């Protein structure tokens, strides 16, 4: 069953990626209110817990330092127009030594009715970005809970994890290409219901503003004004009033005893106002809708050994996405206005890790995007199919204490791009260090 209560030591172990999962607690039913990624566990509940996550790596690839960018250029739902300058490459790994964004967390009980959580990231150039800032209710009846602010969506299993919780250094391919480099993170409100059932179940819906780079993308005035005439900017520069992005999800975890845990989920995402500016073969604007459906599965075995020896965790998700758009403006062919463009793509990842010795674990992942990967043009009947892109990765992790983690990883990507298939081998040596108190993560 899900571990909805953890000791501080277990929480810090999860921050550092360590093997300790904490102690199981009986499922509390409706009064539990659902697990939270920012559950407050401080001794003085009305003073904020403050923690800092420091991360860096040494990186090398055999693609002239462009391996990270290559992975972001897979053909398909967001790259079907070769040469488009809005390709979402999300590069970030430079050959050599890198300091990744430092994560700063604040969490506290505000009063008997609300908890609050803030996460900011400090970039290596000194800039500060606010990633999450939200409240959750504490006293609603019948297992209901409201979350409001900016937060990682509750869809899927991987989406709510912060970067320091990822088992692998890079974002998986289906999330990167179908949701975005950070997954789905937006401003809005979430309502969850955790009923009193014989085993853990949780249902949730979200209404989000729709400020995304992939699903719910809206290029808007700033992008349009440099490419299209002013009268076109006036027509398409302002989005419809939000919320424009909606999600729903459900999770269930049967009771398998103390040592075994299984959770399965389904989820959906709908963006009502998708807008994209493309520059090839000429400047044109596509508008319409984007929807996505998926399922997530995770199994964990807590072995009766110390420091994670013998522990197993298996994790998988499948995503299927459709963009149903039409040409709203075309700079070179006014007759194309109204033509339909439907893009379809799916993807999955499968990963696992095993604690082969105390404080040591080995992991492997296979991820792919584009098993289904096509574009249909409604008025002409034309269609295009694109190849799939895939990657295999393996890593070795040493967790000397609950507060530190050293990880070595190799990845080999085979990416189908607009210019043909290409491959890259990537090598990482990563450290993650945690300081201060940090609330327990959910299962």
């Amino acid at each position: 069953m899900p571990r909805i209560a953890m000791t501080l030591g277990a929480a810090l172990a999860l921050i550092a990626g360590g093997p300790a999962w904490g102690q199981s607690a009986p499922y509390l039913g409706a009064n539990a209110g659902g697990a939270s990624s920012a559950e407050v566990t401080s001794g003085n509940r009305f003073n904020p817990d403050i923690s800092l996550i420091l991360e860096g790596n040494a990186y090398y690839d055999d693609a002239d330092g462009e391996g990270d960018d290559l992975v972001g250029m897979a053909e398909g739902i967001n790259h079907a127009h070769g040469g488009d300058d809005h390709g979402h490459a999300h590069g970030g790994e430079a050959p050599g030594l890198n300091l990744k964004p430092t994560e700063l967390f604040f969490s506290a009980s505000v009063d008997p009715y609300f908890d609050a959580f803030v996460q900011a990231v400090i970039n290596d150039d000194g800039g500060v970005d606010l990633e999450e800032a939200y409240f959750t209710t504490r006293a609603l009846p019948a297992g209901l809970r409201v979350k409001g602010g900016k937060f990682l969506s509750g869809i899927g299993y991987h989406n709510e994890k912060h970067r320091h919780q990822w088992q692998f250094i890079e974002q998986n391919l289906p999330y990167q290409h179908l949701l975005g480099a950070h997954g789905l993170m937006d401003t809005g409100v979430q309502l969850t219901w955790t009923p009193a059932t014989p085993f853990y179940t949780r249902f949730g819906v979200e209404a989000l503003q729709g400020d995304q780079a992939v699903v719910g993308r809206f290029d808007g005035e700033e992008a349009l004004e440099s490419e299209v005439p002013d009268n076109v900017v006036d027509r398409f520069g302002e989005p419809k009033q939000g919320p424009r992005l909606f999600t729903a999800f459900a999770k269930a975890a049967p009771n398998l005893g103390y040592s075994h845990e299984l959770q399965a989920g389904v989820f959906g995402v709908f963006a009502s106002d998708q807008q994209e500016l493309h520059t090839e073969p000429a400047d044109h604007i596509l508008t319409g809708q984007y929807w996505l459906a998926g399922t997530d599965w995770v199994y964990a075995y807590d072995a009766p050994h110390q420091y994670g020896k013998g522990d197993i965790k298996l994790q998988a998700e499948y995503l299927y996405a459709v963009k149903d758009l039409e040409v709203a403006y075309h700079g070179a062919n006014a007759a194309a206005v109204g033509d339909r463009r439907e893009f379809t793509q799916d993807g999955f990842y499968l990963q696992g890790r095993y604690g082969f010795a105390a404080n040591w674990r080995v992991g492997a992942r296979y991820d792919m995007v584009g098993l289904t990967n096509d574009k249909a043009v409604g008025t002409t009947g034309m269609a295009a199919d694109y190849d799939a892109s895939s990657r295999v990765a393996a890593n070795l992790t040493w967790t000397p204490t609950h507060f530190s983690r050293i990880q070595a990883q190799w990845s080999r990507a085979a990416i189908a791009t607009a210019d043909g298939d290409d491959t890259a081998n990537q090598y990482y040596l990563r450290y993650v260090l945690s300081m201060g108190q940090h609330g327990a993560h959910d299962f």
Side-chain angles (χ1 to χ4, degrees):
M1 68 185 70
R3 304 177 192 282
I4 30 190
M6 298 184 183
T7 63
L8 178 60
L12 290 172
L14 286 174
I15 294 170
W21 282 54
Q23 299 299 316
S24 286
Y27 170 54
L28 302 179
N31 293 328
S36 167
S37 64
E39 196 72 39
V40 179
T41 59
S42 64
N44 186 344
R45 296 180 66 85
F46 297 97
N47 285 334
D49 285 347
I50 302 175
S51 62
L52 198 66
I53 309 297
L54 182 65
E55 178 184 349
N57 66 48
Y59 172 78
Y60 169 78
D61 65 43
D62 62 359
D64 296 326
E66 298 180 356
D68 199 49
D69 291 327
L70 172 66
V71 171
M73 295 307 298
E75 274 282 87
I77 195 166
N78 291 302
H79 305 281
H81 296 264
D84 176 17
D85 61 359
H86 201 121
H88 307 299
H90 300 302
E93 300 293 354
L97 303 178
N98 296 280
L99 177 64
K100 307 306 295 180
T102 300
E103 298 178 88
L104 181 61
F105 296 88
F106 300 85
S107 61
S109 291
V110 177
D111 55 30
Y113 307 101
F114 296 98
D115 291 336
F117 176 86
V118 175
Q119 181 210 4
V121 294
I122 306 170
N123 300 310
D124 61 356
D125 61 0
V128 179
D129 295 319
L130 183 65
E131 291 216 341
E132 290 194 280
Y134 62 84
F135 70 86
T136 57
T137 58
R138 297 174 51 82
L140 295 184
L144 296 172
R145 171 175 279 184
V146 173
K147 176 189 285 189
K150 184 179 181 182
F151 52 85
L152 290 163
S153 169
I155 64 167
Y157 179 74
H158 179 75
N159 193 79
E160 286 189 292
K161 310 300 182 189
H162 294 116
R163 179 183 170 91
H164 68 265
Q165 297 173 261
W166 295 359
Q167 295 182 30
F168 290 81
I169 295 172
E170 327 99 325
Q171 180 66 279
N172 63 73
L173 288 175
Y175 267 62
Q176 179 169 342
H177 289 278
L178 303 182
L179 289 173
H182 294 282
L184 182 55
M185 178 173 60
D186 207 343
T187 300
V189 61
Q190 176 194 90
L191 173 66
T192 56
W193 176 44
T194 308
T197 54
F199 56 87
Y200 174 84
T201 54
R202 187 174 182 232
F203 305 91
V205 292
E206 297 168 335
L208 306 172
Q209 184 66 13
D211 183 16
Q212 299 291 307
V214 179
V215 56
R217 169 179 164 186
F218 194 91
D219 285 342
E221 183 176 353
E222 185 175 349
L224 298 181
E225 62 186 2
S226 62
E227 302 291 341
V228 300
D230 290 343
N231 65 321
V232 177
V233 176
D234 293 339
R235 289 171 57 200
F236 298 106
E238 294 296 328
K240 297 177 184 177
Q241 292 185 356
R244 304 184 303 272
L245 186 60
F246 305 90
T247 77
F249 54 89
K251 304 177 188 294
N255 188 349
L256 302 181
Y258 181 83
S259 297
H260 300 271
E261 302 186 67
L262 175 67
Q263 180 177 284
V266 293
F267 56 92
V269 180
F270 175 71
S272 62
D273 193 19
Q274 181 92 2
Q275 182 202 85
E276 301 178 9
L277 170 66
H278 295 271
T279 58
E280 296 291 341
D283 293 340
H284 60 285
I285 299 171
L286 300 176
T287 63
Q289 300 173 340
Y290 189 128
W291 66 265
L292 178 147
T295 181
D296 56 281
W297 297 78
V298 59
Y299 165 79
Y301 169 66
D302 190 3
H305 304 292
Q306 290 185 327
Y307 308 114
K309 181 179 180 181
D311 287 359
I312 297 172
K313 186 174 184 181
L314 303 175
Q315 181 179 327
E317 294 192 50
Y318 172 79
L319 285 68
Y320 182 92
V322 175
K323 287 197 301 190
D324 191 357
L325 310 175
E326 67 176 32
V327 179
Y329 165 82
H330 202 293
N333 182 13
V337 173
D339 279 359
R340 184 165 171 258
R341 306 284 191 270
E342 184 177 85
F343 303 86
T344 304
Q345 191 175 44
D346 65 354
F348 73 92
Y349 73 87
L350 174 64
Q351 66 186 49
R353 71 183 187 195
Y354 172 66
F356 65 91
N359 300 327
W360 289 88
R361 69 171 184 260
V362 62
R365 181 181 70 183
Y366 182 74
D367 51 343
M368 175 178 282
V369 65
L371 289 85
T372 301
N373 198 5
D374 57 60
K375 166 191 168 186
V377 180
T379 56
T380 65
M382 297 175 58
D385 293 320
Y386 304 99
D387 293 333
S389 298
S390 63
R391 179 174 56 195
V392 61
N395 61 29
L396 176 67
T397 305
W398 175 48
T399 309
T401 72
H402 291 326
F403 308 97
S404 59
R405 173 170 31 136
I406 306 296
Q407 186 175 56
Q409 180 174 310
W410 162 80
S411 301
R412 178 175 175 81
I415 305 299
T417 73
D419 299 322
D421 296 342
D422 209 345
T423 62
N425 287 284
Q426 298 173 275
Y427 306 90
Y428 303 84
L429 183 61
R430 175 198 196 194
Y431 63 87
V432 180
L433 307 176
S434 64
M435 296 169 280
Q437 295 189 82
H438 186 73
H441 299 120
D442 57 1
F443 170 68

